[in-house]
Amino acid sequence: MIQSGASRYVYWLPTLRKEDAPLVGRKSANLGEALRLGLRVPPGFAVSVRAYEDFLDCTQAGSRIREVVEQAGVDLESIEKLERLSARLREIVESQPLPAEIEDALADAYRELCGFCGRENVPVSTRSAGPVSRPGQYETYLNVVGAEEVAEMVRRVWASTFNSRSLAFRLRHGLPLERDPIGVTVLKMVNAKAAGVLFTADPNTGDRETMVIEANWGLGESVVSGEVTPDAFFLDKSTGQVRQKKLGRKVRLVTSAERGVADQETGWERQSVFCLSDAEAEEIGRLGRALEEHFGCPQDVEWAVDAEAGFPENVVLLQARPAVIAERKPAAEQVAEMLVKWFYG
């Protein structure tokens, strides 16, 4: 595994621990921790939070953003005004070239990653990695190819800290609008046969003895975005075995294109069968259970099954974070709900 080439802007995942979240963002830090546990993660590196801060300072983008924010006088009652402010701030970030030191660090790291993977222009994902987890706020770019494009997409991930969702969140919580430092996780793309999410406790019922997998063909973005009804697998946590599964409609999938990704219809043959074998589902559950035991709380895990690798090496982790789990209802209340469903549907 890659260990060398670190700089203050780039850290290789195997060198990271969960305590490094303030340095590189929680996503990268947790993936580094997963690697230390011996769990499978695609090769990759972390772009530090400091790179974001130095970019804003060295290019003067930070001071321009501060001026624009002060002039805007935004409030939550004006969505259109917030969206105009977002467009202006993103334009400031995306129009600035990266400082040479940051650009060189990214290019060197990408070159080393290509060497490790044994191919030129290895496709990667660039994913936001905040020191504090804020699911769904920032943007991810997939199937990014070439050092120049990696630098461009890292800058766009930084720019996504100024999208209207992020600005609204910071307004609502009294946080500064002019910057929201984050890291970026750069991972080798997985040629995913299937992908999705795992909750190591049932997020709806609060049942901590049941793990739930949601899965679709291709990349996991169709599952994360809620655009399809995925296959669902329910696993007994104590045995790790599949206890129940439900076939989803899976009418669409997301897959890699020549550049970026493409949305495709799923043919009937793939709609009518499960996208995971029971063995693959149980391996996903095993990895998730190891994460829960290590981190000490239920986990929300993104995973993929690599079409180019054999079982079980084909099951890899892409993200792990604490899951938001409902409180389990008292037994009497559960029975009452069940009776209502039986009688009234």
Side-chain angles (χ1 to χ4, degrees):
M1 182 54 71
I2 307 169
Q3 293 284 355
S4 64
S7 74
R8 59 180 175 169
Y9 295 134
V10 169
Y11 294 82
W12 294 100
L13 295 183
T15 69
L16 297 173
R17 305 202 64 168
K18 61 183 179 182
E19 292 79 9
D20 292 319
L23 179 71
V24 294
R26 181 167 289 187
K27 185 174 297 171
S28 296
N30 285 355
L31 288 177
E33 193 79 13
L35 284 167
R36 286 175 180 267
L37 294 175
L39 307 181
R40 292 180 294 274
V41 174
F45 57 89
V47 183
S48 68
V49 174
R50 180 169 181 173
Y52 172 105
E53 294 176 319
D54 283 1
F55 166 75
L56 291 186
D57 293 338
C58 294
T59 61
Q60 308 299 316
S63 57
R64 293 177 60 196
I65 287 170
R66 190 160 48 249
E67 291 172 5
V68 172
V69 168
E70 288 173 355
Q71 293 168 4
V74 176
D75 60 63
L76 281 175
E77 303 303 320
S78 176
I79 300 301
E80 290 183 356
K81 198 172 180 180
L82 192 66
E83 289 179 345
R84 285 199 300 273
L85 174 64
S86 168
R88 179 72 185 107
L89 300 183
R90 293 189 68 146
E91 180 186 10
I92 291 173
V93 174
E94 292 177 3
S95 64
Q96 297 301 314
L98 295 187
E101 190 177 356
I102 297 176
E103 189 167 18
D104 290 347
L106 294 179
D108 289 346
Y110 180 71
R111 191 178 306 114
E112 190 169 349
L113 180 63
C114 290
F116 177 79
C117 295
R119 59 177 290 189
E120 294 183 357
N121 293 324
V122 64
V124 298
S125 60
T126 56
R127 301 169 180 267
S128 63
V132 178
S133 184
R134 293 183 192 158
Q137 281 201 20
Y138 310 129
E139 293 161 17
T140 288
Y141 296 92
L142 302 177
N143 199 25
V144 178
V145 178
E148 189 174 331
E149 193 170 338
V150 168
E152 170 62 22
M153 294 308 162
V154 166
R155 182 170 47 195
R156 288 196 190 180
V157 173
W158 290 340
S160 72
T161 62
F162 299 101
N163 64 32
S164 53
R165 295 189 303 275
S166 301
L167 292 176
F169 176 89
R170 299 208 290 277
L171 273 170
R172 193 177 304 118
H173 291 84
L175 300 172
L177 291 185
E178 59 269 22
R179 64 176 61 199
D180 188 16
I182 61 170
V184 180
T185 307
V186 180
L187 287 181
K188 174 184 176 291
M189 281 292 294
V190 175
N191 180 15
K193 179 196 84 167
V197 297
L198 159 72
F199 299 96
T200 62
D202 191 318
N204 298 313
T205 67
D207 178 2
R208 297 190 176 222
E209 301 306 314
T210 297
M211 298 190 288
V212 181
I213 295 172
E214 296 181 344
N216 190 17
W217 299 108
L219 301 170
E221 274 53 36
S222 64
V223 178
V224 175
S225 65
E227 293 176 353
V228 299
T229 304
D231 290 342
F233 296 77
F234 300 87
L235 281 67
D236 186 309
K237 189 182 289 183
S238 61
T239 65
Q241 295 180 332
V242 175
R243 189 172 59 201
Q244 181 187 6
K245 53 188 179 181
K246 296 179 180 177
L247 190 65
R249 293 190 65 228
K250 308 189 299 291
V251 293
R252 306 194 68 80
L253 63 87
V254 176
T255 188
S256 294
E258 185 175 354
R259 283 287 194 278
V261 297
D263 196 48
Q264 292 183 358
E265 292 185 0
T266 307
W268 172 248
E269 287 186 359
R270 289 210 281 182
Q271 287 184 42
S272 59
V273 296
F274 288 99
C275 63
L276 294 176
S277 67
D278 283 4
E280 289 167 340
E282 290 167 1
E283 178 64 10
I284 294 165
R286 186 187 72 80
L287 300 181
R289 190 168 52 180
L291 289 168
E292 179 180 295
E293 288 172 359
H294 181 72
F295 287 109
C297 64
Q299 296 291 298
D300 173 349
V301 179
E302 293 186 25
W303 53 268
V305 177
D306 192 338
E308 299 174 355
F311 181 80
E313 287 75 17
N314 58 346
V315 180
V316 297
L317 301 172
L318 303 178
Q319 175 171 295
R321 61 190 176 201
V324 177
I325 304 297
E327 290 293 327
R328 187 166 195 179
K329 296 177 180 176
E333 192 172 336
Q334 293 180 49
V335 171
E337 286 188 355
M338 191 182 304
L339 290 173
V340 169
K341 287 182 180 178
W342 283 350
F343 286 107
Y344 300 104

